[in-house]
């Protein structure tokens, strides 16, 4: 450290503008460090009022640091660490410090230190401590003896510190210009640190509250390109054909899983791959998924019960989740249980086809899968007849639903597991949110099928699948004509039906609780759904996010996976498992301090 010189007047210490709003800081940090999970590894945002020497004073949101000690010699040095260490998932981390006033002597150090390093010292003097000092321009690497590094800095200068967690180096900048590598072989979990030693020294930190003077994003782009180039150059060798075949099978199974029947068929034809599932089964799942994503959960339930008898009976957790979603869609006015009233459906308002029940099916006279006014059909193609095989369930029948016996334990349904439904699905239905679709658009053409599967006009199912290629049509004018959204579409009878359905849902919850014990997930789903009724405008309330169409996707995925599992097919497509494994690998890399994980994000290869 340079010998103390004559004192200099304090200058340039006018208080800078207060830090921007927290939202702006969060936005900038997300852009700079997209791979960081800030719930697990928070980013530094300010200096820590608990991790400092007592000669350090903090102000302005703990971003301004001033010296309040005696400043007689090096024993009066004082430092402060940031609130959190630098997460390895940053890949490259950067912060800047503005010298508001160099004080008496400008004995200031800017750098890094590990947790537990003595704060009665300037950064760089002790083991696992690193600093660049302003009075002599030397760098200090875990030693009291510095090495010549860069220029001195004083009042008005902005000093940046960049930590490269890919190659474990650190360089500094002065007023936007890089000064070159200062330290190598840095350990992990270092904290931004600043130290002062003489009266009048004041510095301000910028952890992302404001744009940086140095173009750190350009430096990040250079390293991102390096990492991605390394990935692209990975040697494949003689296994190219084997890998291509594997990837083609993974893509094919993904298309099949999500019900993209035509695309999957075309892809299989071009790549000479085999589709493991029958086309009719794929189309069945496609229709059911479309119903759920359109908010017509009641119809999706009944289609599932018709096409996959016993599936929901053996999965009461899944059925309960579907019924809770159906209640939410009733509030939304999209489920057919309430839409039928506004559409003046010939269905009796006293019959409730979608009543919650553990029965695998509902009565034929009320089923959404059937038209009214005709005899119930029998089925000889694996679809259970609605006219036969009715028996009594151990659960009381709710409303007009018929019941079948149920003796199986509930399968565990992981509601959060539903791997993300592909973005095209979100686009497919997000624009149709809260729009009413007329019943006539969903009704199938009444027609006799001569192949012995279905014999009259009371059904929409043929050969184990639906007759029409497309069953979802959206009446785009419905929302335009009703700019003010109303509970259950504003229909009184529909609201009464929703309330009755809610009571039945409560009874079902109590039945499940008695049968299988308390289920906190069930309780939360029910509370969240019922809470919508506590607000005059459910769409703009604290629990209103339930009405967002995107919330249908986890329900859709859970139902689709259950159907596949019941058919002895993988409930998750291998492609999604591979992507999940890659993402988890990157998270593990971050935990062990491998910074390159930040520039190898899976999302970068999915666009």
């Amino acid at each position: 450290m340079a010998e103390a010189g004559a004192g200099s007047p304090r200058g340039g210490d006018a208080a800078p503008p207060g830090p921007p709003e927290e939202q702006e800081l969060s936005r900038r940090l997300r852009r700079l460090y997209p791979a960081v999970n800030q719930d697990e590894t928070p980013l530094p945002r300010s200096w820590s009022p608990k991790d400092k020497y007592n000669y350090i004073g903090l102000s302005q949101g703990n971003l301004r640091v001033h010296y309040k000690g005696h400043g007689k010699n090096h024993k009066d040095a004082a430092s402060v660490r940031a609130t959190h260490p630098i997460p390895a998932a940053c890949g490259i981390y950067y912060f800047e410090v503005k010298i508001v006033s160099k004080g008496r002597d400008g004995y200031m150090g800017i750098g890094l230190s590990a947790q537990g390093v003595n704060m009665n010292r300037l950064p760089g003097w002790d083991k696992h401590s690193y600093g660049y000092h302003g009075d002599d321009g030397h760098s200090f690497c875990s030693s009291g003896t510095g090495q010549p590094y860069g220029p001195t800095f004083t009042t008005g200068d902005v000093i940046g510190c960049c930590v490269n967690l890919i190659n474990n180096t650190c360089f500094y900048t002065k007023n936007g210009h890089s000064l070159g590598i200062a330290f190598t072989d840095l350990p992990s979990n270092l904290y931004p640190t600043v130290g002062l030693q003489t009266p009048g020294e004041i510095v301000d930190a910028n952890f992302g509250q404001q744009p940086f003077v140095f173009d750190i994003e350009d430096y990040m782009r250079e390293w991102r390109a390096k990492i991605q180039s390394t990935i692209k150059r990975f040697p494949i060798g003689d296994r190219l054909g084997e890998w291509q075949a594997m990837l083609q099978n993974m893509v094919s199974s993904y298309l099949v899983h999500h019900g993209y029947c035509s695309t999957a068929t075309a892809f299989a034809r071009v790549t000479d791959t085999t589709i493991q599932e029958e086309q009719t089964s794929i189309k069945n799942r496609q229709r059911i998924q479309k119903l759920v994503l359109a908010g017509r959960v009641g119809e999706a339930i009944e289609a599932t019960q018709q096409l996959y008898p016993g599936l929901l009976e053996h999965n009461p957790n899944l059925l309960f989740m579907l019924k809770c979603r159906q209640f939410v869609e009733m509030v939304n006015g999209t489920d057919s249980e309430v839409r039928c009233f506004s559409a003046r459906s010939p269905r009796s308002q006293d019959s409730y086809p979608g009543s919650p029940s553990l029965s695998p099916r509902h009565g034929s006279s009320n089923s959404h899968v059937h038209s009214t006014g005709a005899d119930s059909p029998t089925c000889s193609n694996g679809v259970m007849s609605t006219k036969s095989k009715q028996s009594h369930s151990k659960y009381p029948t709710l409303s007009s639903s018929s019941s079948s016996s149920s003796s199986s334990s509930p399968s565990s349904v992981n509601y959060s597991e539903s791997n993300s439904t592909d973005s095209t699905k979100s686009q497919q239905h997000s624009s149709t949110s809260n729009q009413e679709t007329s019943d006539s658009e969903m009704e199938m053409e009444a027609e006799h099928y001569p192949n012995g599967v279905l014999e009259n006009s009371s059904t929409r199912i043929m050969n184990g699948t639906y007759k029409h290629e497309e069953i979802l049509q959206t009446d785009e004018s419905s929302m335009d004509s009703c700019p003010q959204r109303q509970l259950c579409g504003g229909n009184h009878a529909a609201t009464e039906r929703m309330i009755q359905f809610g009571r039945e849902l409560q009874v079902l919850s109590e039945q499940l609780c008695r049968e299988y014990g308390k289920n906190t997930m069930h309780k939360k789903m029910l509370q969240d759904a019922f809470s919508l009724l506590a607000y005059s405008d459910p769409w703009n309330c604290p629990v209103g996010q339930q009405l967002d169409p995107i919330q249908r996707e986890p329900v859709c995925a859970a139902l689709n996976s259950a159907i596949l599992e019941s058919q002895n097919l993988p409930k998750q497509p291998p492609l999604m498992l591979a992507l999940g494994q890659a993402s988890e690998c990157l998270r593990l890399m971050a935990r062990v301090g491998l910074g390159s994980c930040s520039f190898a994000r899976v999302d970068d290869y999915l666009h």
Side-chain angles (χ1 to χ4, degrees):
M1 181 170 289
E3 189 174 327
S8 61
R10 291 178 56 178
D13 58 350
E21 294 181 357
E22 195 69 17
Q23 285 184 344
E24 176 63 19
L25 172 60
S26 298
R27 182 193 64 78
R28 185 173 285 114
L29 292 179
R30 281 195 301 269
R31 189 183 74 245
L32 288 171
Y33 315 112
V36 175
N37 182 341
Q38 294 193 56
D39 292 329
E40 294 182 1
T41 53
L43 287 160
R45 291 177 176 234
S46 64
W47 301 115
S48 172
K50 298 179 180 179
D51 194 6
K52 67 180 183 66
Y53 194 63
N54 55 14
Y55 287 171
I56 290 290
L58 300 177
S59 60
Q60 298 193 10
N62 293 333
L63 293 173
R64 169 161 289 190
V65 182
H66 65 271
Y67 182 78
K68 57 180 185 179
H70 303 292
K72 294 180 180 178
N73 54 47
H74 70 275
K75 294 183 180 180
D76 291 330
S79 293
V80 58
R81 270 187 286 266
T83 50
H84 301 286
I86 301 168
C90 289
I92 290 171
Y93 181 80
Y94 185 73
F95 70 99
E96 288 183 341
V97 174
K98 181 177 181 179
I99 313 304
V100 177
S101 172
K102 79 177 190 67
R104 190 185 72 197
D105 299 324
Y107 290 172
M108 299 172 289
I110 297 168
L112 309 159
S113 66
Q115 181 68 48
V117 171
N118 187 1
M119 290 283 92
N120 188 201
R121 308 271 285 170
L122 290 183
W125 285 351
D126 294 329
K127 187 176 181 181
H128 295 153
S129 179
Y130 311 86
Y132 168 36
H133 293 193
D135 61 301
D136 55 13
H138 286 185
S139 63
F140 290 76
C141 178
S142 303
S143 169
T145 303
Q147 300 295 323
Y149 170 66
T152 60
F153 52 85
T154 186
T155 300
D157 289 330
V158 175
I159 304 301
C161 178
C162 179
V163 182
N164 186 323
L165 295 122
I166 301 170
N167 61 11
N168 299 317
T169 63
C170 169
F171 70 86
Y172 289 89
T173 67
K174 179 180 178 182
N175 299 328
H177 300 285
S178 174
L179 302 179
I181 299 295
F183 308 113
T184 59
D185 300 319
L186 292 176
S188 58
N189 294 318
L190 295 175
Y191 290 71
T193 306
V194 67
L196 310 175
Q197 187 178 313
T198 62
E201 295 171 352
I202 304 173
V203 298
D204 284 342
N206 177 12
F207 295 105
Q209 284 82 2
Q210 301 171 4
F212 294 120
V213 176
F214 178 72
D215 189 356
I216 189 61
E217 293 185 66
D218 184 61
Y219 180 73
M220 289 178 169
R221 281 190 290 270
E222 291 179 14
W223 273 92
R224 183 176 292 107
K226 289 180 183 179
I227 297 299
Q228 293 180 350
S229 176
T230 301
I231 294 172
K232 291 176 181 177
R233 293 197 310 268
F234 182 81
I236 296 176
D238 298 336
R239 301 186 66 185
L240 177 60
E242 177 187 341
W243 286 18
Q244 283 181 332
M246 183 185 299
L247 288 172
Q248 288 169 354
N249 284 324
M250 291 172 73
V251 171
S252 176
S253 65
Y254 177 85
L255 295 171
V256 168
H257 176 92
H258 290 294
Y260 301 133
C261 188
S262 299
T263 306
T265 302
F267 184 82
R269 185 169 56 248
V270 171
T271 59
D272 195 27
T273 53
T274 302
I275 297 178
Q276 300 297 322
E277 187 179 4
E278 292 183 5
Q279 191 176 54
T280 53
S281 178
I282 300 172
K283 289 184 176 180
N284 286 340
R285 292 190 297 101
Q286 183 185 54
R287 270 49 173 194
I288 291 171
Q289 288 181 84
K290 284 184 176 181
L291 286 166
V292 175
L293 293 176
R296 305 171 75 160
V297 182
E299 292 173 74
I301 291 172
E302 295 189 26
T304 302
Q305 292 166 336
Q306 281 289 330
L307 294 166
Y308 306 98
L311 171 65
L312 297 182
E313 180 184 24
H314 289 81
N315 290 270
N317 288 340
L318 175 61
L319 177 60
F320 187 78
M321 177 172 63
L322 288 166
K323 290 295 183 182
C324 285
R325 186 66 214 177
Q326 185 178 3
F327 180 85
V328 172
E329 297 299 347
M330 291 173 117
V331 175
N332 222 358
T334 51
D335 191 80
S336 296
E337 282 291 299
V338 296
R339 285 177 56 255
C340 66
F341 293 102
S342 59
R344 292 180 172 82
S345 168
R347 224 181 263 137
S348 168
Q349 293 186 7
D350 294 327
S351 63
Y352 304 134
S355 300
S357 169
L358 284 180
S359 166
R361 298 180 301 107
H362 297 297
S364 61
S365 62
N366 302 323
S367 174
H368 290 290
V369 181
H370 302 289
S371 305
T372 57
D375 294 335
S376 300
T378 58
C379 177
S380 60
N381 195 34
V383 180
M384 187 179 295
S385 168
T386 58
K387 197 173 182 178
S388 60
K389 297 189 179 180
Q390 292 186 358
S391 60
H392 293 287
S393 169
K394 60 184 175 179
Y395 297 95
T397 300
L398 303 178
S399 293
S400 60
S401 301
S402 60
S403 304
S404 298
S405 62
S406 171
S407 60
S408 303
S409 299
S411 298
S412 174
V413 177
N414 185 347
Y415 303 116
S416 64
E417 176 187 290
S418 65
N419 23 348
S420 60
T421 316
D422 125 267
S423 61
T424 57
K425 289 186 180 178
S426 178
Q427 296 169 0
Q428 175 185 12
H429 69 267
S430 63
S431 63
T432 63
S433 63
N434 304 326
Q435 295 182 351
E436 297 185 358
T437 310
S438 64
D439 274 358
S440 61
E441 289 173 326
M442 279 293 292
E443 287 300 324
M444 287 306 191
E445 185 177 334
E447 190 171 305
H448 172 78
Y449 300 115
N451 58 4
V453 179
L454 297 178
E455 296 295 333
N456 55 47
S457 62
S458 65
T459 183
R460 303 179 193 171
I461 302 175
M462 175 184 70
N463 282 334
T465 187
Y466 285 88
K467 179 176 184 295
H468 285 187
E469 278 299 312
E470 295 297 333
I471 64 173
L472 293 182
Q473 301 291 334
T474 305
D475 182 2
E476 305 227 352
S477 63
S478 60
M479 280 300 291
D480 294 337
S481 61
C482 184
Q484 179 62 43
R485 291 175 294 190
Q486 294 178 299
L487 194 70
C488 299
N491 184 283
H492 179 72
T495 304
E496 290 288 338
R497 172 66 196 112
M498 176 202 63
I499 293 173
Q500 176 64 22
F501 187 94
R503 293 193 184 106
E504 295 161 356
L505 189 56
Q506 176 66 42
V507 171
L508 176 59
S509 174
E510 294 168 357
Q511 290 175 331
L512 290 173
C513 185
R514 286 193 298 270
E515 186 68 24
Y516 303 110
K518 292 183 179 180
N519 187 313
T520 55
M521 182 68 74
H522 287 185
K523 182 178 179 181
K524 185 177 189 310
M525 283 192 293
L526 203 62
Q527 286 179 342
D528 287 348
F530 287 173
S531 295
L532 292 168
L533 303 185
Y535 300 91
S536 58
D537 183 2
W539 292 269
N540 295 294
C541 73
V543 292
Q545 73 278 359
Q546 296 176 86
L547 298 168
D548 190 326
I550 201 171
Q551 300 300 326
R552 300 166 185 164
E553 293 188 1
V555 179
C556 177
L559 177 56
N560 187 44
S561 294
I563 292 172
L564 287 165
E565 196 171 20
S566 73
Q567 304 298 301
N568 295 318
L569 294 169
K571 68 177 183 177
Q572 307 295 353
L575 180 61
M576 296 306 298
L577 293 176
L579 292 175
Q581 186 180 38
S583 297
E584 182 60 26
C585 180
L586 292 174
R587 282 192 288 270
L588 291 174
M589 288 174 66
R591 290 189 187 124
V592 299
L594 299 176
S596 57
C597 66
S598 62
F599 297 138
R601 300 176 63 227
V602 173
D603 289 351
D604 293 339
Y605 297 89
L606 298 181
H607 300 294

